[in-house]
Amino acid sequence: MRHVPAYAPIPPLCTWIRAKNPTIAFTLFVVTQPEANAAAFTATAVVDMTGTVTGWSEGAERLLGWTAAQAVGRPAAELLGGPPPALPDPGARTELRATVVLRRSEGPALETEVTAHPWLDASGSPRGYLLTAPSEELRLRERDRAIVERAMRKAPMVLGVYDARLRSWWGNEAAETAAGLDLGTVRGRRYEELFPEQENDDYLAALNEAITTKKPVHRLSFGRAPTETYDRAWAISVWPLKDEDGRVEAVANWVFDMSAEHWARQRLAVLSETSAAIGRTLDVRRTARELAEAAVPRFADRVTVNLVPGITRGDEPSPRLSRTVVLSRTVALPERDGETDREITYDAGTAVARCLASGTPSVRLTTTATPEPRFGFGPASASDPARWPPGQPVTDDGLREEGVRSRIIVPLRARGATLGVALFERTERPEPFTADDLTLAEELSAKAGIALDNARRFARERTTALTLQRSLLPERMPGQAAAEVASRYLPAGGGVGVGGDWFDVIPLSGTRVALVVGDVVGHGLHASASMGRLRTAVRTLADVDLPPDELLTHLDDLILHLSDDLSGEPAEAGATCLYAVYDPVARSCTLASAGHPLPLIIPPDGPADVVPGSPGPPLGIGGLPFEVSEFDVAEDSLLALYTDGLTRARERASGDGLDELRRVLSGRPRGGSLQDACDAVFDALRPDHGADDAALLLARTRALRPDHVASWDIPFDPAEVTRARQLAEEQLAAWGLPEASFVTELVVSELVTNALRHGLPPVRLRLIRDRNLITEVSDGSSTAPHLRRARLFDESGRGLLLVAQLTRGWGTRHTTTGKTIWCEQPLPDT
């Protein structure tokens, strides 16, 4: 019986009561079993029906100081410091507990609580009362025990005790609420019997582990209590209670609701991940999908992103909306899952329309999705109305028709403009959105809004730059007979922007053609504008008919004199350019490079190879010469001029790209479509938009037949002008072009006369029959003629004016031995 709380014994009283009533004596022995000299004890006295003290315990003597000899036989009222309380009828068998004042033998009176127990004999007749009063220490202990017990009983977390066989022993009110049971009525029943559906849960596993290992177990579990419909995060701690031999007698546990903390961590994790996940590209549609992917499924079951039309092209926002992305965690609505471009209209009174008009978010909940109170203690629940913005949330039972439990509508705004609206919906999860969820949705939408606006602005600049660049690039290749040409240009992708790659085909005098390709460092509008300036400058210099190295030198000087409007540095510093001139009469090509890759040449009977030559410095450096390379080109050869964006990529070296370009061009069938060849090259080397733009210009060379060219050396004698006209007339007759004789004879006469009068020997006349009839007169002087207005009585000065009026065009080109004056006239059948 030692496990029962024991207090000081009263041997004489116990012996006397045992002789009179063994049952009562046994009861008193159990209740009052003492622990010697303990500060906590119970004072006991027996009073008969006449109110006389008939029994006095050692505890009573310690409490009041009266010995048994002094107290027994005295009226109990003499021991009171005030009027005695009314005692109940012993026959009623009810106890009375009252606070009374007791007199001490010495010192002040003692106010304490006394309990009167009925005293019955063996026949059940009343004999008096058994009075008990605790000592001060015992009273404090009992008070502390009661407070602790009440604290455990009222604790907001789950507290429980199971024996070693997992039979329910004790649980507090929170445990009863979570279990939905009165644990007092199910005491002794096994856990599996009480919760058969929880057979494999973490809580049961933790209980078994603590019993098996005899060590405390701590777990974080995610699930729902038997009485709840929402999943919660639970912190579980289970520890074994061992006896003196180390055997587990029971297991105690506490379960704490960590839902608020868990979801707070989840929201922070989502927010942290989306910081890097949203806005990784400058693509509007991709950014919208990144917003949806960041929220599904960890935050919402379905996300719909509606953007204003035209934003993907960089247009300014408009009042309308276009459904851009719908992403769902399930396949319940497969036709809605994915990207669409369907324009939608919301009525003025709808929540989405109000959200767009006001720029404020809205939370819509069904009546069945009212947030449940948080189970456990800690920070205030996110469902607390005090934490919601004014007017939120709104009950909207119309959501049920759409299969939605709760919805958050957030505008996508940036820099004062509304770009769209995002709808976060929970269709499967029963937990409604909370005030903290609204904050997270706003944070996600704010990040997405900035990223979308950046993407929109980039798309607008990219579209503008592309438009500018394509307007500066040749829309179609000019007609010329020197070569068949085709081209392909691909702007950079991945948010890099339009670059400065460009190409051009420029017909030159003498049926020659100039092939040009260049690259301006950088991307965007500045690169496109710089490219336009360079292309215009090259065309202007090409009209002067300068050799390739001189043209690049003039271009280099021009760039040095162009100041950047923003920084004052050379505007096109770092630009490269390749200028090549192909002559179908001589079947040769002359080129010079300013830091640009040399072209490939694929002869009709050989493999592809890089043309001989050495690239010079990039444009804008100044003070360095450019090397000229000249080489023969067989008819039907293929020249491939390209920018380094075609052969270089992040995943391969430039040499590997050049080898691949060789392989693709060498494998093309002879005489096949050049445009198809361009497409094949880009399919092989640039299957998608890379980090740099790329340009490719292919030219299949042609050769002018020898019988289409006639040339004569003219002696340096004015009398030879007549002979020159005769030679031209005879050649035109041989070509079957008598209709062109009059103009040609006049042109030959004027040009040869000028060469003999103002030039130096040797003088040479050449006629070329191509798409046009070309007349060329060369001499050894470098002085260029020019048009002038002759006065009325001047005898000279009208020759070049006549040539200019009678021909389609004329000009001068300088050579290493002098100059050549040329003019073109259309053939009679053209």
Side-chain angles (χ1 to χ4, degrees):
M1 307 298 287
R2 295 290 299 176
H3 65 278
V4 179
Y7 310 110
I10 43 175
L13 179 63
C14 289
T15 303
W16 181 78
I17 293 178
R18 186 182 298 112
K20 298 295 183 180
N21 193 331
T23 302
I24 294 295
F26 179 74
T27 302
L28 288 178
F29 175 77
V30 171
V31 174
T32 63
Q33 188 172 1
E35 187 169 319
N37 299 321
F41 59 89
T42 301
T44 307
V46 180
V47 179
D48 62 12
M49 297 297 294
T50 65
T52 303
V53 176
T54 59
W56 194 257
S57 70
E58 181 182 350
E61 181 177 350
R62 293 174 59 188
L63 183 65
L64 299 179
W66 305 101
T67 64
Q70 293 173 325
V72 172
R74 296 178 60 179
E78 295 181 1
L79 301 178
L80 299 176
L87 296 176
D89 182 5
R93 302 187 180 186
T94 59
E95 296 181 352
L96 173 66
R97 181 170 298 174
T99 300
V100 298
V101 178
L102 299 177
R103 293 172 54 202
R104 288 176 171 171
S105 62
E106 296 179 359
L110 173 66
E111 183 177 2
T112 187
E113 185 179 78
V114 175
T115 303
H117 307 272
W119 175 26
L120 308 177
D121 61 13
S123 63
S125 300
R127 298 290 302 276
Y129 302 92
L130 175 64
L131 306 178
T132 59
S135 68
E136 181 68 13
E137 181 68 20
L138 180 60
R139 186 176 65 82
L140 292 176
R141 287 187 182 183
E142 290 180 345
R143 183 201 63 182
D144 295 345
R145 185 184 298 112
I147 292 175
V148 172
E149 183 176 348
R150 187 165 63 252
M152 295 298 100
R153 186 69 180 169
K154 298 293 184 179
M157 83 278 286
V158 172
L159 296 174
V161 180
Y162 293 87
D163 68 9
R165 296 176 58 188
L166 291 186
R167 292 177 298 190
S168 176
W169 196 341
W170 176 86
N172 65 349
E173 292 180 359
E176 293 180 344
T177 301
L181 299 171
D182 181 357
L183 297 183
T185 63
V186 297
R187 179 183 175 90
R189 295 182 60 184
R190 291 179 57 82
Y191 181 89
E192 296 90 334
E193 299 176 15
L194 299 177
F195 311 108
E197 70 281 359
Q198 307 286 331
E199 183 176 355
N200 297 318
D201 66 356
D202 289 339
Y203 181 62
L204 178 59
L207 293 173
N208 285 317
E209 183 178 342
I211 294 174
T212 303
T213 63
K214 300 182 181 182
K215 296 179 180 179
V217 177
H218 307 284
R219 290 191 179 182
L220 183 63
S221 176
F222 190 75
R224 63 187 60 178
T227 59
E228 294 190 321
T229 59
Y230 297 164
D231 288 339
R232 299 186 186 274
W234 306 94
I236 301 173
S237 286
V238 182
W239 61 97
L241 303 176
K242 307 174 187 177
D243 60 14
E244 296 177 353
D245 298 328
R247 292 188 298 269
V248 177
E249 287 187 316
V251 284
N253 67 91
W254 63 261
V255 180
F256 177 63
D257 181 12
M258 298 286 294
S259 300
E261 293 79 3
H262 171 78
W263 289 118
R265 286 194 296 267
Q266 292 296 313
R267 283 187 284 267
L268 287 175
V270 171
L271 205 57
S272 175
E273 293 174 6
T274 54
S275 298
I278 297 178
R280 290 177 296 181
T281 65
L282 288 173
D283 180 82
V284 172
R285 189 182 301 278
R286 180 59 198 164
T287 300
R289 189 162 187 87
E290 287 169 352
L291 170 60
E293 291 173 346
V296 177
R298 296 174 62 180
F299 175 64
D301 297 328
R302 185 169 66 217
V303 173
T304 302
V305 180
N306 300 327
L307 301 179
V308 296
I311 190 175
T312 55
R313 301 186 300 271
D315 297 348
E316 291 297 324
S318 67
R320 297 170 300 159
L321 288 177
S322 175
R323 177 155 291 162
T324 305
V325 172
V326 179
L327 184 63
S328 174
R329 70 186 294 178
T330 65
V331 292
L333 296 172
E335 71 280 359
R336 294 185 60 191
D337 192 15
E339 300 177 351
T340 67
D341 285 307
R342 179 169 56 90
E343 284 200 13
I344 53 178
T345 303
Y346 291 98
D347 295 335
T350 61
V352 174
R354 289 196 296 270
C355 173
L356 286 172
S358 64
T360 57
S362 175
V363 181
R364 324 288 292 187
L365 305 177
T366 61
T367 53
T368 56
T370 303
E372 290 186 357
R374 187 171 181 269
F375 185 76
F377 70 91
S381 171
S383 62
D384 185 354
R387 303 186 62 186
W388 284 102
Q392 305 292 344
V394 177
T395 301
D396 185 358
D397 288 331
L399 297 179
R400 291 196 186 94
E401 300 177 3
E402 305 178 46
V404 178
R405 297 174 182 263
S406 57
R407 172 185 290 161
I408 295 179
I409 307 171
V410 185
L412 300 173
R413 294 176 56 83
R415 301 177 179 94
T418 300
L419 307 177
V421 64
L423 282 70
F424 302 87
E425 298 171 337
R426 286 184 177 174
T427 58
E428 305 296 326
R429 294 167 56 177
E431 300 91 347
F433 287 117
T434 65
D436 289 337
D437 293 331
L438 173 60
T439 301
L440 175 60
E442 290 179 301
E443 290 284 347
L444 293 177
S445 300
K447 291 179 179 293
I450 296 296
L452 286 170
D453 192 55
N454 291 338
R456 178 185 68 84
R457 290 168 178 262
F458 169 77
R460 181 176 60 188
E461 180 177 336
R462 176 182 173 84
T463 301
T464 304
L466 272 175
T467 303
L468 174 62
Q469 187 177 45
R470 285 170 178 166
S471 67
L472 296 174
L473 290 174
E475 295 183 6
R476 59 180 181 274
M477 296 303 176
Q480 43 80 36
E484 176 190 357
V485 294
S487 62
R488 175 82 183 272
Y489 170 76
L490 185 67
V496 177
V498 178
D501 289 13
W502 56 285
F503 57 87
D504 207 349
V505 176
I506 307 173
L508 300 178
S509 62
T511 68
R512 297 169 305 141
V513 64
L515 305 174
V516 191
V517 64
D519 186 2
V520 175
V521 175
H523 299 85
L525 284 174
H526 175 72
S528 296
S530 299
M531 177 271 290
R533 288 196 291 262
L534 281 181
R535 180 171 179 262
T536 302
V538 169
R539 274 190 164 270
T540 302
L541 295 172
D543 285 341
V544 185
D545 229 332
L546 294 176
D549 57 335
E550 293 186 27
L551 183 143
L552 292 182
T553 300
H554 283 283
L555 191 63
D556 189 42
D557 293 338
L558 177 65
I559 289 178
L560 290 174
H561 289 85
L562 291 176
S563 297
D564 188 356
D565 295 336
L566 296 178
S567 63
E569 298 177 357
E572 285 80 28
T576 64
C577 181
L578 175 72
Y579 186 82
V581 177
Y582 171 65
D583 187 348
V585 177
R587 301 184 184 183
S588 65
C589 182
T590 305
L591 62 81
S593 170
H596 201 87
L598 295 174
L600 289 180
I601 183 169
I602 302 94
D605 56 354
D609 200 1
V610 179
V611 301
S614 176
L619 297 173
I621 295 179
L624 296 175
F626 297 98
E627 181 179 327
V628 176
S629 298
E630 186 171 0
F631 53 92
D632 294 333
V633 179
E635 184 180 4
D636 204 31
S637 296
L638 187 63
L639 289 171
L641 289 74
Y642 58 91
T643 59
D644 58 2
L646 181 65
T647 57
R648 290 181 181 176
R650 293 177 181 174
E651 64 274 8
R652 65 166 181 262
S654 178
D656 296 339
L658 187 59
D659 292 341
E660 182 69 9
L661 179 60
R662 283 194 183 99
R663 184 192 66 79
V664 175
L665 292 178
S666 298
R668 299 298 301 172
R670 299 296 177 183
S673 168
L674 290 185
Q675 196 59 55
D676 291 344
C678 289
D679 295 339
V681 168
F682 274 82
D683 289 343
L685 276 75
R686 292 288 294 272
D688 52 8
H689 292 266
D692 194 8
D693 50 350
L696 174 65
L697 178 62
L698 296 181
R700 181 181 290 129
T701 61
R702 295 169 179 157
L704 212 61
R705 289 164 44 187
D707 58 349
H708 279 210
V709 181
S711 61
W712 304 271
D713 292 325
I714 305 299
F716 200 75
D717 184 355
E720 294 294 323
V721 174
T722 303
R723 177 173 172 270
R725 288 199 302 266
Q726 293 174 350
L727 293 173
E729 182 182 7
E730 293 172 0
Q731 186 61 50
L732 292 177
W735 284 341
L737 299 173
E739 299 87 348
S741 295
F742 176 76
V743 174
T744 303
E745 288 181 36
L746 182 58
V747 168
V748 168
S749 177
E750 292 296 334
L751 295 182
V752 172
T753 299
N754 283 343
L756 294 175
R757 180 177 298 178
H758 304 290
L760 297 172
V763 177
R764 186 175 182 81
L765 170 65
R766 185 169 73 162
L767 296 180
I768 302 174
R769 178 188 177 185
D770 189 37
R771 296 184 178 184
N772 300 311
L773 179 60
I774 302 172
T775 302
E776 294 181 348
V777 176
S778 304
D779 68 84
S781 172
S782 59
T783 303
H786 60 277
L787 288 173
R788 66 183 179 89
R789 183 179 295 277
R791 289 187 293 270
L792 181 62
F793 298 104
D794 289 345
E795 296 182 359
S796 62
R798 297 177 178 86
L800 287 180
L801 180 61
L802 290 174
V803 172
Q805 295 296 320
L806 295 175
T807 61
R808 176 176 292 176
W810 75 280
T812 303
R813 71 172 179 268
H814 292 269
T815 65
T816 57
T817 59
K819 67 178 181 294
T820 299
I821 310 298
W822 59 269
C823 63
E824 292 183 0
Q825 54 180 309
L827 294 176
D829 56 352
T830 60

